Amino acid sequence: MAELTLVESNATSDLSALRRSPAAHLAELFEGASVEGERGVGLREIPFQTMVGLRVTQASDAAQRLEKVLGTLLPDAHGRVTAESGRSVLWLGPDEFLVVTDEDHSQLTRALTEALQADHGSVVDLSANRTTFELIGPSAREVLEKGCPLDLHPRVFKEGTAVNTNIGHVPVILWKTAPESYRIYPRSSFADYLGRWLADAMGEFAALDQFAVLETP
Amino acid sequence: MIQIQCPNCGPRDETEFHYGGQAHVAYPENPDALSDEEWARYLFYRENTKGQYAERWSHSGGCRKWFNAIRDTVTYRISAVYPAGAPRPDIASTQAETNNAAAGGTK
């Protein structure tokens, strides 16, 4: 019994060192699949982002208290993202939002839970629910278009938009953070499949690259 | 592929939605008072309309909200989309507004 207690206290002292991100084993695959150049596209996992799910009625007292803690308003329409000092709030539904940030998840969750008080709604630490993929480069849109039913043309899907959709039949949140940069949030159990799917979809652009090299005399 | 006009997210592909069957089926006020036959009728019996049909849809691949739509079961054209709980709109009057909103689609 004493031994067991000892093991526990050791483990809890630094749990973060024991964490393994859902696509950690694919890092080499991603690196190999990434392509440089004019038609390039790069893929990497951004592990362990803090994500807090909020359910609250827009413009209610509770929503205003949450907004005060967040330092930003909750987004008010489909696709919108609000941001303040490293915190982004994504619209997932009329009364559902996701806070994404790099700061400590337990502190933020506690602060938001306290702000909600006993009002109708919920604050849940969802940091382990999803992982983050970053797909960047001139061909990033073409890679996504192989498996996403949305119109991703820049005149429709603008920078700063985040939506719930599917990629390769996997439900994800897709967030266009810059003209050639997308963040993809699959649930952890889908990370392996989607990671391999994306790497496979990127293969075409690597092949073109090699072809160009062969052609040069 | 049909495109369905989600009231929250705009037009999305049919594959993002789940079908919820006939709309406006009211829960019996006093279920205990029903006979087995009446209860079965509430649970299982639905209209089988040829033409305009009010039905429930859920945007399960998006905002996860339920809403109602009026769909023509022959042409698949969706002529109105309205909130769950709202009364069934009169199609003739809603036709003009929803034409702009790109409701419905082609099969």
Side-chain angles (χ1 to χ4, degrees):
Chain A
M1 195 62 213
E3 236 175 289
L4 186 65
T5 318
L6 185 67
V7 171
E8 270 180 358
S9 64
N10 274 346
T12 48
S13 64
D14 190 14
L15 270 180
S16 61
L18 297 171
R19 289 192 300 183
R20 201 155 38 88
S21 70
H25 61 295
L26 298 178
E28 260 177 55
L29 176 74
F30 291 170
E31 207 172 310
S34 295
V35 188
E36 301 283 325
E38 236 173 84
R39 283 167 59 77
V41 54
L43 176 63
R44 71 181 176 115
E45 185 194 22
I46 305 171
F48 311 130
Q49 284 217 290
T50 290
M51 297 180 210
V52 182
L54 305 179
R55 297 294 302 261
V56 68
T57 310
Q58 285 266 18
S60 61
D61 289 348
Q64 281 169 7
R65 289 198 301 271
L66 292 180
E67 284 168 345
K68 212 166 176 187
V69 172
L70 289 167
T72 175
L73 295 177
L74 295 171
D76 58 354
H78 165 251
R80 296 243 170 100
V81 179
T82 55
E84 178 59 42
S85 52
R87 272 180 200 157
S88 301
V89 189
L90 281 60
W91 187 100
L92 298 184
D95 57 0
E96 184 174 11
F97 312 92
L98 186 70
V99 185
V100 182
T101 171
D102 289 328
E103 67 202 282
D104 182 71
H105 58 100
S106 50
Q107 274 180 20
L108 180 64
T109 311
R110 199 174 311 129
L112 288 168
T113 307
E114 279 165 15
L116 183 67
Q117 296 172 11
D119 281 9
H120 189 63
S122 74
V123 174
V124 185
D125 182 0
L126 297 176
S127 303
N129 183 27
R130 297 172 188 267
T131 189
T132 311
F133 288 151
E134 189 180 56
L135 191 70
I136 50 167
S139 296
R141 171 157 74 97
E142 278 186 71
V143 169
L144 293 175
E145 280 170 345
K146 294 183 185 190
C148 180
L150 285 184
D151 185 354
L152 298 180
H153 192 282
R155 84 177 152 243
V156 177
F157 194 64
K158 296 193 167 64
E159 190 185 331
T161 310
V163 296
N164 258 318
T165 186
N166 295 315
I167 296 172
H169 303 293
V170 173
V172 298
I173 300 170
L174 178 65
W175 180 13
K176 187 172 181 179
T177 50
E180 288 179 353
S181 171
Y182 298 86
R183 296 224 167 158
I184 305 164
Y185 299 87
R187 295 207 170 79
S188 296
S189 54
F190 287 112
D192 177 79
Y193 171 80
L194 186 66
R196 291 176 197 277
W197 188 94
L198 286 167
D200 181 59
M202 288 158 69
E204 165 191 346
F205 303 98
L208 273 173
D209 207 35
Q210 285 163 8
F211 199 54
V213 172
L214 286 177
E215 268 189 344
T216 37
Chain B
M1 178 74 73
I2 303 175
Q3 277 207 329
I4 298 173
Q5 178 83 18
C6 169
N8 298 311
C9 307
R12 294 292 191 96
D13 281 8
E14 174 194 5
T15 49
E16 290 192 5
F17 294 84
H18 264 97
Y19 181 64
Q22 184 182 337
H24 309 298
V25 179
Y27 189 76
E29 263 185 41
N30 188 4
D32 291 341
L34 298 186
S35 69
D36 285 353
E37 196 190 328
E38 284 166 328
W39 180 244
R41 195 160 279 280
Y42 159 71
L43 281 185
F44 306 117
Y45 280 58
R46 295 293 179 265
E47 283 167 29
N48 187 19
T49 313
K50 182 177 182 183
Q52 304 287 350
Y53 190 47
E55 53 198 17
R56 305 171 71 224
W57 286 88
S58 157
H59 190 195
S60 47
C63 61
R64 308 197 297 164
K65 292 291 173 193
W66 285 92
F67 60 94
N68 290 346
I70 293 186
R71 180 178 63 94
D72 192 310
T73 54
V74 179
T75 63
Y76 280 74
R77 178 164 292 282
I78 293 173
S79 51
V81 167
Y82 56 102
R88 179 177 170 150
D90 179 12
I91 295 302
S93 63
T94 53
Q95 197 90 52
E97 342 171 350
T98 48
N99 276 351
N100 292 336
T106 51
K107 191 164 194 221

